[in-house]
Amino acid sequence: MTPRPVAIVPAAGRGVRMGADKALLELAGATAIERVVQSCRDAGVADVLVVRREGAEPLPEGLGAQVVRVPAGGEMADSLRAAERALPADAGVVVVFPVDHALVAADTVLAGVAAVLQGAGVALPLFRGKPGHPVAFSRAVFAEIQNAGAVLRDLVRREPARVRALPSANPWVLADLDRPEDHRAAVCALHAGPLPTVAQMFAHRSRRAYAPTPVPKAQLERLVDAARHASTSSWLQAYSVVLVQDAEQKGACARLCSGQSHIVQAPVFAAVCADLRKLAAACGRHGATLQTQSLELFLQAVVDAALLGQNLQLAAEAEGLGACMIGAARNHPIELAQLLDLPPGCFALFGMTIGVPTDDPVPRGRMPLPGVLHWERYDHAAVDPALDGTDAVIRAWAARTNAERGGYGGKPVNLDKGWTERIAAAWGEGSSYLAARQTLADELQRLGFGLG
Ligand SMILES: Cc1cc2nc3c(=O)[nH]c(=O)nc-3n(C[C@H](O)[C@H](O)[C@H](O)COP(=O)(O)O)c2cc1C
């Protein structure tokens, strides 16, 4: 007869750093403990013992797991000892699955159980070579937890020969739910698409057509929350985001942003603002006056807001949405500030359309890397080849766009015009950007930013 696999879920801690009972954390429609029990079930481990401290909140109804009670304030090893005593006599494989690793799926559990059934004393999941959870033990090895002073680590480390390492692709084998930020990151991860972060960066395309499907408020909150965890100059957090969903308000934003139709079409227009308002208030609390007439402070706020904005676009893309930054938000900064009721010391650095994308643009590609990446000192000789390379990149994009999409915005793209020619037109003497933003410095001054 195959030895019976049993899972032990230590969930007796108070979750002090989390500020909540981890077993009951909501993770995209199920609590952490429900996810753990489901992963066990999916792996064929029907018996689950959940260790809870006396007085802990009840577990969700219908969980179908046995609860083992331990006194409050004990260590993880105390929980494991109590659970070991409660194991059924015929338990042959013991999977220790801390509730902190609730995003680990059945495949990892299944692999652990299989390794022990094949003779391993310990089956240890690894993510990129680093050990994590859940760990599966033979019954005999797990019984060593009753040795005086034993902790789980001892069982794993005592005899390397009895340990079978099991590489896993799931990062949550290693990462755990410890702080509120981990919880929010886990929720984001459960909503994210399949690409890891860096692959997602390479998949970026600005999207300019959207379905009318609304983006739920909870999702927008999640994305902005994640985005604001970008680095911030001296912890200033000199930014704000105003999300506009109301059609009339969005239409007014679009009119101030050169009438770009995708602002009207997208369900959300985000104004990503450099914002000194909270810094001024902080100074005011301590009898100080924020030195707003500072180019350095202006740059810090702009950099902070830009980093948040980039993170926001990346987070939206990771969740399968599309976005496009809108620099045209600086065409009429005062009128846009008035429309959005921005306080003094706050302006929309750029906007962003966000929604479910319906277009499929040919990726624009980028300049050859040597034009951007230099080693030890700037490689001046790299500039000319970079320009040639970028001309070639844009021509290849134009050719593909014409051949595969019938042109851009309904018109064929001029195949003769390279990147260098476009830059000369955009930012040479006849620059339309320059013309449109001639009064920008003055407008920023009026909005409370100093550039001197
Ligand atoms: C700060 C900023 C402002 C932008 N403003 C606009 C805009 O107003 N309208 C627009 O359609 N695209 C805008 N874009 C998108 C760029 O045109 C786009 O990123 C660039 O052409 C490269 O294309 P890709 O993002 O698809 O790779 C903006 C991008 C940035 C970073």
Side-chain angles (χ1 to χ4, degrees):
M1 213 174 67
T2 314
R4 176 147 55 134
V6 178
I8 293 174
V9 184
R14 287 190 180 279
V16 175
R17 274 189 296 271
M18 180 63 75
D21 187 334
K22 292 186 200 174
L24 303 178
L25 288 177
E26 161 71 28
L27 287 167
T31 59
I33 190 65
E34 286 170 315
R35 283 191 168 272
V36 170
V37 172
Q38 191 59 48
S39 293
C40 292
R41 294 263 150 75
D42 292 346
V45 181
D47 296 288
V48 182
L49 306 184
V50 183
V51 187
R52 298 287 278 165
R53 67 173 192 283
E54 316 260 353
E57 284 205 37
L59 296 176
E61 266 181 43
L63 188 67
Q66 183 187 332
V67 174
V68 177
R69 295 269 166 212
V70 290
E75 300 290 331
M76 162 91 132
D78 300 320
S79 291
L80 296 176
R81 275 191 272 279
E84 200 277 339
R85 286 192 290 274
L87 283 172
D90 62 343
V93 182
V94 180
V95 181
V96 177
F97 195 156
V99 76
D100 309 54
H101 294 266
L103 269 67
V104 173
D107 55 342
T108 306
V109 181
L110 197 59
V113 171
V116 174
L117 289 177
Q118 287 161 8
V122 180
L124 181 66
L126 306 180
F127 180 74
R128 306 225 171 112
K130 296 212 172 93
H133 291 279
V135 186
F137 299 89
S138 70
R139 176 69 199 262
V141 171
F142 189 64
E144 294 172 14
I145 196 72
Q146 300 296 357
N147 295 348
V151 295
L152 198 67
R153 211 178 320 122
D154 300 333
L155 275 53
V156 176
R157 291 191 182 164
R158 180 167 300 150
E159 281 181 44
R162 70 187 183 185
V163 178
R164 169 115 174 256
L166 298 173
S168 163
N170 189 335
W172 294 92
V173 154
L174 201 58
D176 61 2
L177 296 169
D178 194 29
R179 305 164 309 139
E181 286 79 4
D182 301 331
H183 177 212
R184 276 138 59 201
V187 173
C188 287
L190 287 165
H191 286 88
L195 291 182
T197 313
V198 177
Q200 188 67 59
M201 291 176 185
F202 280 97
H204 160 78
R205 291 174 293 167
S206 292
R207 311 301 285 268
R208 296 183 178 84
Y210 300 93
T213 324
V215 184
K217 191 169 174 225
Q219 184 175 20
L220 291 167
E221 265 175 18
R222 186 167 72 229
L223 297 175
V224 175
D225 186 14
R228 76 199 175 106
H229 283 79
S231 291
T232 157
S233 319
S234 308
W235 212 358
L236 286 184
Q237 306 170 75
Y239 39 56
S240 286
V241 178
V242 181
L243 295 180
V244 180
Q245 294 172 293
D246 175 76
E248 210 173 300
Q249 179 82 338
K250 205 153 47 63
C253 290
R255 281 193 290 284
L256 292 173
C257 297
S258 60
Q260 295 186 48
S261 60
H262 51 278
I263 303 176
V264 176
Q265 203 187 34
V268 184
F269 175 75
V272 178
C273 304
D275 181 7
L276 302 178
R277 173 75 181 84
K278 288 155 285 190
L279 279 55
C283 285
R285 280 198 181 183
H286 298 278
T289 306
L290 185 72
Q291 300 301 292
T292 54
Q293 297 307 301
S294 147
L295 177 62
E296 173 58 17
L297 184 58
F298 171 75
L299 285 177
Q300 289 197 5
V302 164
V303 171
D304 269 18
L307 296 179
L308 182 154
Q310 167 54 30
N311 257 5
L312 179 60
Q313 182 164 36
L314 186 61
E317 290 170 347
E319 293 205 6
L321 297 173
C324 183
M325 294 186 183
I326 304 291
R330 295 189 302 277
N331 284 358
H332 303 285
I334 293 181
E335 290 83 346
L336 190 57
Q338 282 165 350
L339 180 69
L340 301 176
D341 202 15
L342 303 183
C346 182
F347 86 102
L349 178 64
F350 53 85
M352 193 183 299
T353 50
I354 304 175
V356 175
T358 54
D359 59 351
D360 182 20
V362 174
R364 291 196 171 178
R366 292 294 184 263
M367 177 179 287
L369 188 60
V372 176
L373 173 61
H374 308 272
W375 296 96
E376 312 309 339
R377 24 182 81 73
Y378 200 100
D379 179 5
H380 297 265
V383 171
D384 264 324
L387 300 190
D388 295 339
T390 317
D391 276 346
V393 164
I394 204 167
R395 288 203 176 99
W397 170 81
R400 250 191 91 186
T401 297
N402 288 345
E404 297 173 19
R405 305 290 191 278
Y408 184 79
K411 288 189 221 142
V413 188
N414 182 350
L415 292 176
D416 298 330
K417 234 190 203 177
W419 181 78
T420 46
E421 196 180 336
R422 286 166 196 263
I423 295 300
W427 277 105
E429 287 79 355
S431 169
S432 56
Y433 291 101
L434 201 60
R437 311 228 171 113
Q438 230 154 21
T439 51
L440 186 59
D442 180 49
E443 286 162 324
L444 290 176
Q445 285 278 0
R446 286 169 58 198
L447 289 169
F449 291 86
L451 308 179

